[in-house]
Amino acid sequence: MDRIRIRGGRALNGSVPISGAKNATLPLMAAALLADGPLTLTNAPDLADIATMRALLVQHGLSVEHDKAARTLTLSGSATQLEAPYDIVRKMRASVLVLGPLVARHGRARVSLPGGCAIGTRPVDLHIKGLQEMGAEIEITAGYIEAKAPAGGLRGARILFPQVSVGATENLLMAACLAQGETELVNAAREPEITDLAMCLMRMGARIEGIGTDRLRVEGGATLLPATHPIVPDRIEAGTYACAAAITGGTLHLEGARLEHLGSVARVLREAGVDVAETHTGLNVSRMNGLRGADVMTEPFPGFATDMQAQFMALMCVAEGASMITETIFENRFMHVPELTRMGARINFHGSSAIVRGVPKLSGAPVMATDLRASVSLVLAGLAAEGETIVNRVYHLDRGYERVEAKLAAVGAEIERLPN
């Protein structure tokens, strides 16, 4: 497995291009199952998760062309294989997004449960319950979701989510486009990626009202047609590079980033002493007069994104004073804490909250990446640390950050990828 070596202590200055959002691209790719296409997606990132979704859709029978130079994905054809096998789905939870489109268009689907997922309190049960309310018969057998639409296809329904779920909102929004009658999604997720998906579906001919709100209304039964859609910039990548500017004391221009997509992340960064200013081409980010501790609690958009929690924790490790970071979205998402403490961070956590007491400096050390966002938090810490940091198991980074070492090196970081 590759490693990344960082020699910290260098302020980052310059411009960083923000790629298309991974979390928008994956449901947009699944939306291609709703029509023969072609569906052309521009501003497409080159990431491991995109390759996984491409492999899944190809085995379903679609043609997927990824022009990396032009940054486009072109998807066309109709599904001929209605099973999403475990060998692919286990690699990425977002693979379950093929469930709604397959059942809506073809009347049935057999989709593996994501690896390690038990039906119950985990979010995938909201996908299943929503489809059942639309008339689908669903059984869980041998680790697979087996779904069958009623005669005449899925029916519109009023679906009230007991808790906000991005994936369930996406899956049911896509299914509703082909269902008969009106579907209302209440307490729907409002993330920019949901809005992006809805706008793409509208370009394909879907009829959707309430875009950007927590109440989406879909008039089903539309025939979806070929379309071209630009993928929204990645707000999590933008937030990550904002933290990189702040933790190193530099100034970065984040090309293409949009302030409204950051939600409360921008507000909290400002509370911590980081200047975030919108320009006509993106965002300028710099540290002002020193970093201050700030408290955060992760919440659905427009609240503080759970996908920014680890990066903000790394930033708070070198801030003056203390900060409390509370994780409310995912359990067991403090796996980066032991690795940050290896670098000299002072962090105590219990349950869903962590207290971070800032230190004057971090020290480089060998650390182990445990997941995507934890990985990049260790890179951020390495950028600020004295000496050399080796981040192991960086394949996690490749799932969600495009050319991270090249982008950082271009703005002054001393960073390189080391093949094993």
Side-chain angles (χ1 to χ4, degrees):
M1 297 179 190
D2 288 356
R3 300 167 293 153
I4 284 181
R5 178 167 62 197
I6 305 164
R7 293 183 178 90
R10 298 166 65 103
L12 303 186
N13 293 285
S15 188
V16 177
I18 301 303
S19 301
K22 172 183 82 80
N23 290 339
T25 307
L26 298 174
L28 290 169
M29 294 175 72
L33 291 164
L34 296 168
D36 289 341
L39 174 61
T40 301
L41 303 174
T42 62
N43 193 33
D46 182 16
L47 300 167
D49 276 7
I50 305 306
T52 298
M53 181 62 86
R54 178 184 180 183
L56 179 59
L57 293 175
V58 166
Q59 76 83 39
H60 279 308
L62 270 64
S63 169
V64 183
E65 298 179 11
H66 190 177
D67 187 332
K68 296 179 182 180
R71 305 186 68 76
T72 61
L73 278 164
T74 304
L75 307 96
S76 58
S78 181
T80 56
Q81 167 61 258
L82 303 183
E83 178 173 316
Y86 173 73
D87 282 348
I88 298 179
V89 176
R90 68 180 175 83
K91 299 177 182 178
M92 183 180 65
R93 288 186 59 83
S95 300
V96 78
L97 292 174
V98 303
L99 178 63
L102 287 175
V103 176
R105 186 163 188 217
H106 300 281
R108 60 187 179 88
R110 187 171 189 264
V111 177
S112 173
L113 289 168
C117 180
I119 293 297
T121 60
R122 297 300 297 274
V124 74
D125 69 333
L126 300 182
H127 305 234
I128 293 170
K129 289 177 182 177
L131 288 172
Q132 287 174 327
E133 291 185 50
M134 299 173 76
E137 297 178 4
I138 297 182
E139 294 183 358
I140 310 298
T141 57
Y144 278 78
I145 305 167
E146 297 193 3
K148 182 180 179 181
L154 295 177
R155 303 184 297 268
R158 184 179 188 273
I159 299 170
L160 172 62
F161 295 108
Q163 63 201 61
V164 175
S165 169
V166 172
T169 299
E170 292 167 339
N171 227 336
L172 298 175
L173 176 61
M174 289 187 283
C177 291
L178 300 187
Q180 297 303 311
E182 182 179 279
T183 296
E184 186 177 25
L185 304 179
V186 183
N187 198 30
R190 294 185 288 161
E191 272 70 4
E193 296 80 16
I194 301 286
T195 295
D196 202 40
L197 174 61
M199 295 303 295
C200 178
L201 292 169
M202 292 274 283
R203 284 189 169 96
M204 296 169 70
R207 295 164 291 195
I208 306 170
E209 297 179 357
I211 295 173
T213 75
D214 63 357
R215 190 179 294 260
L216 296 170
R217 291 175 298 280
V218 185
E219 185 60 43
T223 298
L224 300 191
L225 302 170
T228 297
H229 178 77
I231 300 167
V232 73
D234 195 321
R235 63 193 173 100
I236 304 303
E237 185 187 32
T240 300
Y241 285 110
C243 288
I247 204 168
T248 65
T251 299
L252 292 179
H253 177 65
L254 311 180
E255 297 176 24
R258 301 179 190 173
L259 184 62
E260 69 269 22
H261 290 171
L262 291 182
S264 68
V265 170
R267 174 184 57 79
V268 173
L269 284 172
R270 287 166 175 158
E271 289 177 4
V274 182
D275 183 46
V276 182
E278 193 167 22
T279 74
H280 68 282
T281 58
L283 299 174
N284 283 339
V285 183
S286 60
R287 186 194 298 179
M288 291 186 282
N289 299 314
L291 294 172
R292 303 181 297 272
D295 298 340
V296 299
M297 176 181 292
T298 61
E299 295 176 307
F301 189 85
F304 194 94
T306 181
D307 279 353
M308 280 298 303
Q309 179 255 105
Q311 300 92 305
F312 187 74
M313 182 179 289
L315 183 63
M316 292 297 93
C317 287
V318 295
E320 184 177 344
S323 58
M324 175 179 284
I325 298 173
T326 302
E327 174 62 59
T328 69
I329 307 297
F330 290 116
E331 56 205 52
N332 198 29
R333 206 169 192 184
F334 284 149
M335 291 187 289
H336 45 285
V337 170
E339 302 305 299
L340 289 172
T341 58
R342 286 176 51 78
M343 301 177 70
R346 296 177 60 203
I347 308 171
N348 298 99
F349 72 99
H350 179 73
S352 62
S353 293
I355 298 291
V356 184
R357 295 176 175 84
V359 297
K361 62 180 180 179
L362 296 172
S363 300
V367 290
M368 186 74 69
T370 55
D371 60 63
L372 171 55
R373 306 306 173 185
S375 301
V376 82
S377 76
L378 301 177
V379 172
L380 292 174
L383 293 172
E386 289 188 349
E388 181 178 278
T389 297
I390 300 290
V391 182
N392 295 284
R393 293 174 63 187
V394 297
Y395 65 87
H396 291 292
L397 276 173
D398 297 332
R399 291 184 49 229
Y401 289 92
E402 188 173 24
R403 301 183 303 109
V404 63
E405 67 275 14
K407 287 186 178 184
L408 287 170
V411 291
E414 191 172 347
I415 182 172
E416 62 179 331
R417 181 176 292 241
L418 304 174
N420 259 355

